[in-house]
Amino acid sequence: MSETYRTGALGGSAAAGGTRRGPLSPAEARGAVRRVLSEQARARGAACTPDTLSDALLVASELTTNAMLHGGGVTDFDAEVVGQDLYLSVSDRERRRPVARNPVDRHGRHRCGGRGWPIVCRLSRAVLVSDLPAGGKRVTAVIPLPAECGHPVDGI
């Protein structure tokens, strides 16, 4: 049960009748995660808790947003349940690794943004960053799906 998007050279744009690939927004990434978890819920006979769903959607949003803002755009997206874990992977064009920024600048002023990476790290069991052979990087967050994911939840 997974949902994969591939992006890159398509030989034509979506506007010119080409195939549109990959999530173009964090909302589309969240939709993909909802579909994967919904498939998993049907297979198990029950959905995950609202907190688990919320954590997964937030991580998907943050990874996608970071790729769009700092990585030159999303080049690949994958959401897959393996055992008791949800694997979310987002690739982009930038080799630089994500870093946590201090929320306060050197003058004591609060910065806007910079909190997404710590959120991803806090909500994930593991976060792996790997270089891609053709350039760019792939960030994979492993989100635990607790055994308690047995209570039916409406709206997934």
Side-chain angles (χ1 to χ4, degrees), residues 129-152:
V129 182
S130 54
D131 291 329
L132 297 173
K137 69 181 169 302
R138 182 174 186 89
V139 179
T140 301
V142 182
I143 298 151
L145 300 176
E148 305 85 59
C149 285
H151 306 289

Side-chain angles (χ1 to χ4, degrees), residues 53-72:
L53 175 62
S54 177
D55 289 352
L57 296 176
L58 181 54
V59 171
S61 288
E62 291 297 339
L63 290 178
T64 306
T65 298
N66 285 348
M68 291 173 167
L69 292 177
H70 309 294

Side-chain angles (χ1 to χ4, degrees), residues 31-42:
V33 169
R34 283 182 184 276
R35 286 187 295 278
V36 167
L37 290 178
S38 183
E39 289 173 14
Q40 183 67 19
R42 280 193 292 281

Side-chain angles (χ1 to χ4, degrees), residues 79-113:
E80 182 176 17
V81 174
V82 178
Q84 287 295 120
D85 294 313
L86 172 65
Y87 285 74
L88 292 177
S89 296
V90 178
S91 299
D92 62 39
R93 293 175 176 85
E94 178 61 56
R95 279 202 186 267
R96 284 181 300 159
R97 305 284 204 221
V99 294
R101 289 181 34 194
N102 190 333
V104 178
D105 70 13
R106 62 188 171 128
H107 301 291
R109 296 177 295 216
H110 288 276
R111 288 189 171 132
C112 203

Side-chain angles (χ1 to χ4, degrees), residues 6-21 93:
R6 302 275 184 233
T7 61
L10 300 173
S13 70
T19 304
R20 182 179 71 113
R21 297 183 180 187
R93 293 175 176 85

